[in-house]
Each structure stands twice: as C-alpha cells, then as structure tokens.
C-alpha cells in the first residue's frame, strides 16, 4: 500500500497565481470525517487533470511567464455543509483565517481568487451564491451534476491570491442575476435535455416514461425535459422521482409502481435523468423483478458510471444510449496518471509533501482517508475510457487566461505589479475566449461554453459495455442508424407510440389527456391534412377542392354549359329541326299569302307570328358557353318579346273565332272590322309594349347576374346566370300566360259547323301545348341539379315552339301542300253571317270527310 495519495501538494509561495480543480483522490477517515471510506476514481482523475494543467502552465513561458500557480485539494463529500468549511477558508482575508466584514469589498483581498468545483449541482448552488457575494469566479469543468461518490472542491492559492471554482450542470446556475460569478466549461442541462428531445423525435418515439432522482440534478433535469418534450409533441406517459438511496437499502418509493405500469404498457422508452447511485437502485429493482427490456435514454451523470455498468444483469435491461459532451483527447494524460500514481508509492515523495503542507485540511474537513493510499493504476485507469477530464483541464486554463489579461502579460512577462482582486478577474472572464489543448472555448453571457455532444450506445462485450458513437448533437441531431444495435428480435428499431402513425390525409382525434393517444380520422372531401401532426383537417379555399384523405387542395375548373356537351348537341339538333319547320311554314304562308287558308289564319299576322317563333328558337343559342351579363339579359329579352308577338297574333285569331261563334250577329261585323287591319296590329304592338315594359322593369330592378357557385359541384366551380327574384321572373311570364289563357278560353267551347275548317280546335291544342310545356318546366327545373338548369330551359323553349308549330301551323302546311283542293273561301272563310258562326270544322280529317260526302 503506498504511503500517500496523489493530489496533496502544497503550492509554491512567491509572486504567483494559484489554480486547481477536480475531486481529490483521497477520502477522509470513517471515524473523524463525514465522508464515507470510498475512493472516487473519477474524482481522482479530475484532480489529476487539474494538476497536469497547472504544471503545464507553470512550465510554459507564454501564458503566465514568471508566475507559478499553486493549489490545495478539499473533499466536499457531496454535502453543502461540508463544502462550506473550505469555502469559508477560501474567503478568509489574505494572511489570516478570518473573514473581514466590510461595506465595500472592492479592495478586499481574499486568500484565494478562484475555486474550481464543486461537481455537484446541489453543492454548487450553495457555494455559487456564497462566492457571488464576493464576486469570486467559479468555473464548472464537468458535466455530471451528481457523480457516484462524494465530491471535492479545489481551492487555488498563489502570490496573486487566485481562486477558481467549477460548478454543476443545473440550468439554474445560468441565471446571471443570482450567480453572477459562476462559470462552467460544459453546457448546461438544458442543452442535454434538448438533445434528448431531438433524439426522441428523430426516432419517432412520442410515448415515453421519465424518471429522475429526487435531488437538484434530477428534479431540474426532469422538469427541463418534460417542458421541452411537451413543446415538441412528445407525451410523457409516466413520470416520477426516485428517492436518494440510503445506507442499507434501495427503496424506490412510488417509482416501483411506475416501473410495473411501464412494464405492462406500450411504453418502450424510459428517460432516466438521475445520479448514478439512484440509477443503480433503479436497475437493481428492474433486474430483480425481471421487468421487460426497454430503451433507456441516459443522462450524462450515469451513462459512463462503472457503478451502473458493472451491475450484474445489466445486459438484460435492454438498450442504453445517451449523450456525452465532447472533449479534446489528451493522449499524455494516461502516462501522467501512471507517473503520479507511481510517485505516490514512494515514501520519499510523500515525506516531501508532508513537509510542505500548510496544515489547513485537517482543520477543515478532517484527516486524509486511508482509502486514498490504496490508489493504483488498476483502480483508476479504467475510468480513462469514459470519464471526460478535459473540462477540469480547461477550467484551469480559463482562469490562467483571465489572469493573463488582468496582469497584461506578454511573451516577456507580466508587468502589472498590483494584486488582482476577484472582481477584476471576473471582468476578464465574461465572454472570454481561450484555448485549452489546441481547442478554442468561449464563455457565453450565461457563463457556459458551447460544446457538442456525442450520442453513445452501450455495446456489450464480455460482461462490460463499451461506448459506441452512433450520432452527434451540435444544435441539430445527426444519427448513424447503421451503427445502432437494439435489444429487439431481428434488431428491429423499437416503436414507442401510444397510437400508430396516421396515414396521409388523416388527422388525429385525441382521446384522453395525452395528445399522443388518438384515433386517425380521414379528411373529407373539401378538406385536407396540412401537417402530419394536425388534429383538425384544414378546409380548402372556396376556389379549391380536394378528394377524401387528401394532403393538398386542387384549383377548381369553371363549369358551364359547353357547346360540345352531348346534351347541347342534342338540343342543337332539335333546334335545327324546329327552325327548319318554322322556315318551311313561313315560306309556305308567304308564298300562299293571298290564299283563303292563310287569310283565315290571319294573313300577314300569321307570317309575323311564325317569324316570332323563329326568334324564340334562336334565343336558346344564348344558353351554351360561359355566361356573361349580356347573355343573361339577352336570354330573357329574346324569349319573352317574340313569344308575346306570336301569342298576340294567336289571341286575335281566337278573338275572331269567339266573336263569330258566340256573339249576336249585330256585333259581328263591327268587331270583325276592329280585329282586322290596323286595329289588329295595334293590339299586337300594345301587347309587345306591355311585355317590353315588364322586361325593362325586371332587368332594371332585379337583373340576372353572373355568379360562381363554389359548393354545388365537388371539383368544379359552376358559373351560371342567377335569377335575382323569382316573383318578378314570374310577373314577366304573366303577359304571355294571360294571352295564352284568353286564347284557350275563346276557343275551348266554340261549336264547329260541318263543312268548315275548325281553327278553334287547332288554337285550343296550341295553347294546351304551351301550358303543358311551361307547367312541366316548373317541377323539372326545381328538382334537377343546378348544372342542368340551362339545358332544361333550352328544351322547354324548343318544345313550346314545337308544340305551337305542330298544333296550329303544320296542319295548315299539310293542307297547302297535299290538299290544295280544300284551300277555298267556302271551306275557310264561310259565306255570310250565318256561316261566320260556324267557321271551321272539327278538323282536317273531318272536313275531308264532309267534302267527300
């Protein structure tokens, strides 16, 4: 057993600076010290890293030429009360062991200028506030807030009375108002928690459990992770705090039931933000009760802990991965550790150290512990593989660079002779950039440094895991999927989701309290899924459409009655037939305008009526094509005015028949003179003027407008003429309807005489055709789809014209062409008053039979 432990070296006195940090390799004795008799191998390595940095600075001639740094090592035992004892010594006035009470400490010269440590978050919160009162810089070199064993702090003393401190990773220490003199050479836990959240997102794990140790490190780490995870849509199914392990027990409290709930749930990922000792208790329970393997996302505090790694059965708990901050490789450090441990085995070396001791430590934290004397390369060199020592090394260099600036040092020396005060050193450390082992670091405004993280995966070999790099995080996450090994059968990537991923075009309908538990609901037509995590479908704009389960909207095409549609082609064919018949009838009536048949039908008025029917037919040409205001107005004018002209001529024909058949003979001649000649044309003109007035009122007050209806068609926008007022539209039809009704009344009950052509019968059927057509139009128009309204109107107009033409004009054309022998005054015009009453016969067929008799 070597007679002394490394790391207990007195600093040289003289005009020099002091710097140091880390955890002491020794432990206080079990009888007199509150620390347990355990050797912390990581703490010893951090202390040796500090010592190596001090020796490098002292041996170099560039950073602090002519000055030498000294150090003392103290054990905090992870207890704030224990840490306060050396802290009070650090704050003692230079040359004494008492702290002076002053109103102004700007000229106060403490025994040390900076403190490196402690490593624990809870201890750093206490010492940080204490040192901040005196504005003494404190630098934190290491990422783990709660190491597996007791912690130590290092004080630094020198001719310049320099003290450096390092702190923990808790994010509370980034508060400059509460901790203005706190610095650290590792990122805060917020960065690590952010990296964990990005890892979960990158692997699509949104249904996890989270466990933390019931101390400052675990509580703040778990709180940070929970808030960041919730903000990124990650649901924490189960969350709990583990009580710190006490002597002789590994009680987990409520976490025991939490573990069993996780074991029987769909949660496959557990985030453990905990100290190594609490994690050890957690996995001991998990292994003992043979809980199902899971993916364990480790915090940096236990990811590299040999206490957890060497737990029997750890290879059965599942996959372990976590983030470890990057540090510069120091190849010389291994040989330095071996050299120091070899020196500790030499009695002469230990005697020289004892002679140079200042006698402070035993008065502060008790005597040196016997376990420290058992330090050997076999005890500590395994930790070189995992534990980052660069941060402790860099902490010393940060203070040395601050001294370099405060003393205005150059290559030849440090010309400033005045002692450096703590606040002067602090001024130089804010936003300071410095180099340590060929790597440039810089403190930000919160006293943190920006270091990247490596994502490490436990890979088991010979009952001991090795760390494999499977990714990195430096503001953004990069994963190396090919290097990952999972505990699942077939090395399948674990799935930790409450609900399956919704397919494209589906949104999440949350059920319960967690947003990650949901049912997938299809987006209906007219809506779409904008983002994969949407809870509601987004409606398309009115000029867009979408099918069911769509992820985008499509522009609507305008829809109107196109010329090339089959319905339009059929109606155009019917229009051609009707126009041909109208032109044939008009040509025959014009050619035979002086014949008795044409004269009995009204003569020129009959030709005018046929011409009006032709214009009514042409009105259907305004319905196909894209509607416009002109076409909408023209449809009404070209339909109603010519139809009024035709019906007014038929009304005069019916009036003549009614007068000649139903009124006394004394009135007949006088009324016949009024129903023929200029008076008849006046009636036609008045009827058309009345209809023109109604049309003008309708088009001025309730004009039809061109509208685009975005809702009646699923994928198109219907462009059509909209009737502003159906009542006014009906009033416009009233004139024609009244003329047709009067025609029907004047001819329906007229008695025919044998041997005469019965014009009343043809007029009656013509009006019946008119009414049947337009009465049928009303329910048909109301029940068909809006897209079919234009062809329905076109068909109604054409069938109305065809009905009048077929019942009134075409039978006369038949007589003109094939029965010219009946085209006589006796047959159509009669021979006197007595004949006037009996004009016409029951029809063409009946008249033919009478003539033959």
């Amino acid at each position: 057993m070597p007679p002394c432990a490394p790391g207990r070296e007195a600093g040289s006195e003289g005009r020099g600076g002091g710097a140091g940090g880390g955890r002491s390799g020794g432990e206080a004795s079990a009888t007199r010290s509150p620390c347990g008799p355990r050797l912390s191998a990581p703490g010893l390595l951090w202390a040796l890293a500090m010592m190596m940095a001090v020796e490098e600075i002292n041996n170099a001639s560039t950073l602090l030429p002519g000055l030498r740094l000294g150090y003392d090592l103290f054990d905090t035992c992870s207890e704030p009360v224990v840490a306060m004892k050396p802290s009070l010594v650090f704050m003692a006035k230079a040359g004494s062991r008492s702290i002076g009470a002053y109103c102004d400490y700007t000229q106060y010269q403490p025994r040390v200028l900076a403190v490196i440590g402690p490593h624990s978050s809870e201890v750093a919160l206490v010492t940080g506030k204490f040192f901040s009162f005196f504005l003494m810089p404190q630098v934190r070199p290491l990422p783990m807030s709660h190491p597996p064993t007791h912690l130590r702090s290092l004080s630094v003393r020198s001719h310049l009375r320099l003290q450096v401190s390092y702190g923990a990773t808790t994010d509370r220490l980034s508060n400059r108002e509460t901790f203005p003199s706190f610095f650290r050479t590792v990122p805060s836990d917020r960065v690590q928690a952010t990296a964990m959240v990005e890892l979960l997102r990158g692997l699509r794990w949104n249904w996890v459990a989270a466990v933390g140790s019931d101390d400052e490190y675990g509580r703040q780490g778990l709180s940070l992770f929970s808030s960041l995870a919730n903000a990124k849509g990650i649901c924490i199914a189960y969350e709990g705090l583990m009580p710190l392990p006490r002597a002789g027990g590994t009680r987990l409290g409520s976490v025991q039931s939490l573990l069993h709930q996780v074991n029987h749930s769909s949660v496959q990922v557990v985030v453990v933000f905990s100290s190594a000792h609490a994690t050890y208790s957690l996995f001991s329970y998990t292994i003992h009760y043979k809980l199902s393997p899971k993916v364990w996302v480790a915090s940096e505090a236990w990811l590299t802990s040999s206490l957890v790694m060497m737990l029997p059965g750890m290879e059965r708990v599942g996959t372990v991965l976590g983030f470890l901050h990057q540090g510069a490789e120091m190849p010389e450090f291994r040989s330095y550790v071996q050299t120091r441990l070899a020196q500790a085995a030499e009695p002469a070396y230990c005697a020289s150290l004892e002679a140079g001791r200042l006698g402070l430590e035993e008065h502060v934290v008790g005597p040196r512990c016997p376990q420290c004397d058992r330090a050997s390369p076999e005890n500590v060199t395994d930790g070189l593989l995992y534990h980052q020592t660069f941060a402790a090394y860099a902490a010393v260099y940060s203070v040395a660079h601050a001294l370099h600036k405060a003393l205005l040092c150059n290559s030849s020396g440090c010309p400033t002779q005045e002692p450096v005060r703590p606040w002067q050193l602090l001024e130089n450390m804010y936003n300071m950039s410095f180099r340590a082992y060929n790597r440039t670091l810089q403190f930000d405004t919160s006293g943190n440094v920006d270091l990247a993280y490596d994502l490490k995966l436990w890979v088991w070999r010979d009952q001991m895991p090795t760390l494999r790099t499977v990714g990195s995080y430096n503001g953004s996450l990069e994963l190396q999927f090919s290097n990952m090994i999972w505990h699942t059968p077939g090395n399948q990537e674990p799935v930790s989701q409450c609900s399956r991923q919704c397919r494209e075009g589906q949104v999440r309908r949350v059920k319960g309290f967690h947003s990650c538990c949901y049912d997938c609901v299809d987006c209906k037509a007219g809506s779409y899924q904008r983002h994969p995590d949407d809870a509601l479908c987004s409606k398309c704009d009115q000029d867009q459409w979408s099918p069911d389960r769509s992820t985008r909207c499509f522009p609507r095409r305008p829809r109107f009655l196109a010329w090339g549609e089959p319905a339009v082609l059929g109606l155009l064919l019917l229009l051609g037939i009707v126009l041909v018949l109208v032109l044939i009838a008009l040509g025959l009536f014009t050619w035979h305008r002086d014949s008795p048949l044409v004269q009995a039908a009204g003569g020129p008025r009959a030709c005018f009526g046929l011409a009006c029917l032709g214009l009514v037919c042409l009105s259907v040409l305004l319905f196909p094509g894209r509607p416009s205001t002109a076409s909408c107005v023209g449809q009404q004018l070209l339909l109603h005015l010519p139809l009024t002209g035709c019906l007014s001529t038929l009304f005069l024909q019916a009036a003549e028949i009614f007068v000649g058949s139903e009124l006394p003979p004394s009135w007949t001649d006088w009324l016949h003179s009024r129903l023929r000649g200029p008076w008849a044309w006046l009636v036609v003109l008045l009827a058309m003027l009345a209809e023109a007035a109604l049309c003008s009122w309708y088009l001025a007050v309730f004009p039809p407008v061109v509208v685009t209806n975005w809702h009646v068609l699923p994928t198109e926008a219907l462009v059509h003429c909209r009737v502003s007022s159906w009542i006014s539209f009906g009033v416009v039809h009233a004139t024609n309807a009244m003329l047709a009704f009067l025609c029907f009344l004047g001819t329906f009950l007229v008695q025919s005489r044998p041997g005469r052509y019965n014009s009343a019968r043809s007029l009656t059927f013509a009006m019946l055709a008119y009414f049947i057509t337009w009465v049928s139009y009303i329910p048909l128009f109301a029940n068909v789809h809006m897209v079919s309204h234009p062809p329905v109107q076109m068909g109604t107009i054409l069938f109305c014209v065809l009905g009048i033409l077929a019942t009134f004009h075409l039978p006369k054309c038949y007589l003109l062409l094939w029965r010219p022998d009946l085209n006589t005054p006796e047959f159509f015009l009669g021979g006197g008053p007595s004949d006037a009453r009996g004009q016409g016969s029951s029809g063409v067929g009946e008249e033919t039979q009478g003539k033959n008799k």
Side-chain angles (χ1 to χ4, degrees):
M1 179 170 61
C4 66
R8 300 180 53 83
E9 179 174 316
S12 59
E13 294 295 333
R15 187 176 180 274
R23 293 179 51 167
S24 155
E27 293 280 354
S29 66
T31 57
R32 298 187 56 186
S33 171
C35 301
R38 290 191 300 265
L39 170 66
S40 170
L44 176 58
L45 293 175
W46 299 331
L48 291 174
M50 178 278 303
M51 293 165 60
M52 186 178 79
V54 171
E55 293 179 8
E56 286 181 357
I57 295 170
N58 290 340
N59 294 331
S61 60
T62 55
L63 193 56
L64 294 173
L67 301 179
R68 292 184 59 80
L69 302 179
Y71 54 86
D72 276 337
L73 305 178
F74 294 94
D75 190 354
T76 68
C77 304
S78 295
E79 294 291 342
V81 175
V82 178
M84 286 303 296
K85 294 181 180 180
S87 298
L88 291 170
V89 174
F90 300 160
M91 295 310 305
K93 191 174 182 180
S96 70
R97 295 186 180 180
S98 61
I99 301 177
Y102 302 98
C103 295
D104 184 3
Y105 280 91
T106 55
Q107 299 301 319
Y108 185 77
Q109 186 68 50
R111 180 174 177 272
V112 296
L113 289 179
V115 177
I116 299 205
H119 188 264
S120 165
S121 292
E122 285 189 290
V123 178
L125 289 172
V126 176
T127 59
K129 290 183 179 179
F130 179 72
F131 293 141
S132 295
F133 177 73
F134 297 92
L135 290 181
M136 179 170 290
Q138 192 176 8
V139 181
R140 179 198 186 283
L142 296 170
M144 291 185 286
S145 294
H146 291 279
T149 57
H150 298 306
L151 308 179
R152 292 101 178 128
S153 65
L154 300 174
S155 71
V156 179
R157 62 187 180 86
S158 70
H159 293 168
L160 293 179
R161 306 301 188 266
L162 174 64
Q163 182 180 5
V164 180
S165 174
Y166 76 91
T169 55
T170 175
D171 193 56
R172 289 174 57 188
L173 293 169
S174 298
N175 189 335
R176 292 284 85 181
E177 293 184 1
T178 308
F179 305 97
S181 64
F182 181 83
F183 295 84
R184 51 187 163 193
T185 53
V186 289
S188 75
D189 283 334
R190 179 176 293 274
V191 182
Q192 183 182 187
T194 303
M196 288 180 172
V197 171
E198 292 301 316
L199 173 65
L200 299 181
R201 294 185 63 199
L203 295 173
R204 299 181 296 278
W205 295 334
N206 61 7
W207 186 239
V208 301
V211 180
S213 53
D214 193 9
D215 53 14
E216 174 61 29
Y217 175 70
R219 286 190 299 269
Q220 68 88 33
L222 189 61
S223 175
L224 271 176
F225 171 78
S226 298
S227 61
L228 293 172
N230 290 330
K232 295 296 184 179
I234 297 172
C235 299
I236 300 179
Y238 306 98
E239 184 174 355
L241 290 173
M242 297 179 293
L244 295 179
R246 303 301 177 189
T250 58
R251 185 174 61 87
L252 294 178
S254 61
V255 175
Q256 294 182 4
S257 61
L258 184 149
L259 289 175
H260 287 283
Q261 291 175 7
V262 171
N263 188 55
H264 294 93
S265 71
S266 59
V267 174
Q268 298 298 320
V269 177
V270 182
V271 177
V272 182
F273 221 111
S274 168
S275 64
H277 275 174
T279 307
Y280 179 89
S281 301
L282 173 72
F283 284 117
S284 296
Y285 184 87
T286 301
I287 296 169
H288 177 73
Y289 286 95
K290 299 179 180 179
L291 302 184
S292 301
K294 304 290 181 181
V295 176
W296 304 89
V297 179
S299 67
E300 202 169 6
W302 67 270
L303 178 64
T304 59
S305 170
S306 57
L307 179 68
V308 180
M309 286 181 166
M310 299 178 66
L311 178 65
M314 272 300 292
E315 69 277 3
R316 300 193 300 270
V317 301
T319 302
V320 178
L321 72 166
F323 288 96
L324 194 65
H325 80 274
Q326 295 177 354
E329 295 184 3
M330 298 190 297
E332 298 87 350
F333 184 59
R334 178 182 292 271
S335 61
Y336 180 82
V337 171
Q338 293 175 348
T339 301
R340 276 296 192 173
L341 293 178
Q343 287 178 343
E346 298 176 2
Y349 177 77
C350 295
S352 65
L353 293 183
E354 292 294 334
R357 287 185 59 193
L358 299 180
L360 274 179
E361 184 179 9
E362 190 166 346
H363 296 284
V364 178
V365 293
R368 175 169 49 85
C369 69
Q371 291 292 330
C372 301
D373 295 334
R374 298 188 179 95
S376 65
E378 291 76 16
N379 298 126
V380 299
T381 51
D382 287 342
L384 292 173
L385 298 175
Y386 308 120
H387 292 83
Q388 300 282 328
T389 54
F390 173 73
Y393 177 89
V396 177
Y397 269 89
S398 69
V399 177
H401 277 272
L403 282 170
H404 179 87
K405 290 186 176 181
L407 296 172
L408 304 177
C409 297
N410 51 41
S411 58
S412 60
C414 302
T416 303
Q417 300 295 321
E418 294 297 326
V420 177
R421 303 291 190 269
W423 60 269
Q424 293 173 316
L425 187 63
L426 186 64
E427 285 183 344
N428 288 281
M429 294 185 70
Y430 278 115
N431 298 316
M432 182 184 69
S433 178
F434 62 97
R435 292 185 63 81
Y437 214 90
N438 298 324
R439 180 163 186 173
T440 301
L441 302 176
Q442 182 175 5
F443 291 119
D444 60 19
T445 55
S446 299
N448 306 320
V449 295
D450 184 16
L451 287 177
Y453 281 92
D454 285 329
L455 178 61
K456 298 292 186 177
L457 176 72
W458 282 16
V459 179
W460 288 91
R461 290 189 178 91
D462 300 328
Q463 304 301 313
M464 187 67 182
T466 59
L467 296 184
R468 173 186 293 181
T469 301
V470 294
S472 62
Y473 178 81
N474 190 14
S476 61
L477 181 68
E478 295 183 2
L479 296 176
Q480 302 171 11
F481 291 98
S482 59
N483 292 335
M484 293 184 178
I485 298 177
W486 306 106
H487 65 277
T488 53
N491 197 31
Q492 294 294 318
E493 181 180 314
V495 176
S496 189
Q497 299 173 346
C498 181
S499 302
R500 66 171 178 84
Q501 287 289 329
C502 291
R503 297 176 181 149
E504 287 189 350
Q506 292 182 326
V507 294
R508 301 173 177 180
R509 178 184 294 166
V510 177
K511 52 184 181 182
F513 299 101
H514 295 286
S515 61
C516 302
C517 299
Y518 49 82
D519 294 322
C520 294
V521 180
D522 292 346
C523 286
K524 301 300 182 183
S527 62
Y528 70 103
Q529 177 198 30
R530 179 175 296 176
H531 302 294
D533 297 333
D534 283 350
L536 294 173
C537 297
S538 301
K539 287 186 174 295
C540 295
D541 295 336
Q542 66 174 5
D543 59 345
Q544 296 177 325
W545 71 278
S546 67
D548 290 337
R549 288 184 57 180
S550 177
T551 57
R552 55 168 295 194
C553 293
F554 304 91
R556 289 179 178 269
R557 293 185 297 105
R559 172 69 183 277
F560 46 83
L561 191 64
W563 287 97
E565 293 186 23
V568 174
L569 296 177
L571 290 170
L572 290 177
L573 178 61
L574 179 61
L575 170 63
I577 295 173
V578 175
L579 273 178
V580 169
L581 293 176
V582 169
L583 292 176
I584 291 174
L586 181 60
L588 288 173
F589 273 50
T590 302
W591 184 260
H592 298 281
R593 59 185 176 274
D594 296 327
S595 65
L597 184 151
V598 176
Q599 292 298 318
R605 296 195 309 273
C607 296
F608 177 76
L610 282 170
C612 288
L613 284 180
L615 292 176
V616 172
C617 290
L618 293 177
S619 70
V620 302
L621 296 177
L622 296 177
F623 287 90
R626 190 183 185 101
S628 63
T629 302
S631 64
C632 293
V633 172
Q635 292 170 8
Q636 305 302 321
L637 290 176
L638 199 57
L639 167 63
H640 294 291
L641 289 179
L643 187 58
T644 300
C646 175
L647 291 176
S648 63
T649 61
L650 296 180
F651 166 74
L652 291 172
Q653 182 73 14
E656 286 190 51
I657 294 173
F658 179 79
V659 167
S661 302
E662 303 298 331
L663 295 183
S666 58
W667 294 10
T668 303
D669 293 337
W670 183 83
L671 288 175
H672 271 292
S673 64
R674 297 295 185 272
L675 295 175
R676 295 174 182 173
W679 292 101
W681 287 108
L682 180 61
V683 171
V684 173
L685 178 62
L686 290 176
M688 295 187 68
L689 288 175
E691 182 65 18
L694 286 176
C695 287
S696 299
W697 166 78
Y698 167 68
L699 295 176
V701 181
F702 305 103
V705 293
V706 180
V707 297
T708 301
N709 195 316
W710 307 98
H711 307 293
V712 295
L713 296 175
T715 63
E716 298 169 309
L718 180 62
V719 183
H720 65 102
C721 299
R722 186 180 67 186
V723 177
S724 301
S725 172
W726 286 104
I727 295 177
S728 60
F729 182 77
V731 171
V732 174
H733 278 272
T735 301
N736 293 331
M738 183 181 66
L739 290 173
F741 183 69
L742 292 176
C743 287
F744 181 79
L745 288 181
T747 59
F748 180 66
L749 298 177
V750 172
Q751 297 293 325
S752 62
R753 293 185 62 185
R756 299 290 183 267
Y757 180 75
N758 192 353
S759 295
R761 183 66 55 83
S762 61
L763 281 172
T764 300
F765 282 112
M767 296 305 102
L768 283 176
Y770 174 86
F771 283 117
I772 290 173
T773 302
W774 286 105
V775 169
S776 301
Y777 164 78
I778 295 174
L780 185 62
F781 185 87
N783 289 282
V784 300
H785 197 276
M786 192 178 293
V787 177
S788 302
H789 285 177
V792 168
Q793 294 182 62
M794 292 174 63
T796 301
I797 293 170
L798 291 177
F799 278 108
C800 176
V801 173
L802 185 61
I804 294 174
L805 191 66
T807 55
F808 184 78
H809 297 93
L810 292 185
K812 294 176 175 56
C813 293
Y814 171 79
L815 293 177
L816 289 173
L817 291 175
W818 287 284
R819 296 300 301 273
D821 56 304
L822 297 180
N823 191 3
T824 62
E826 293 79 10
F827 186 68
F828 284 99
L829 300 178
S834 59
D835 295 331
R837 288 180 175 272
Q839 282 186 14
S841 66
S842 60
V844 177
E846 294 179 1
E847 179 53 37
T848 303
Q849 294 175 5
K851 187 71 177 176
N852 291 337
K853 289 179 182 180

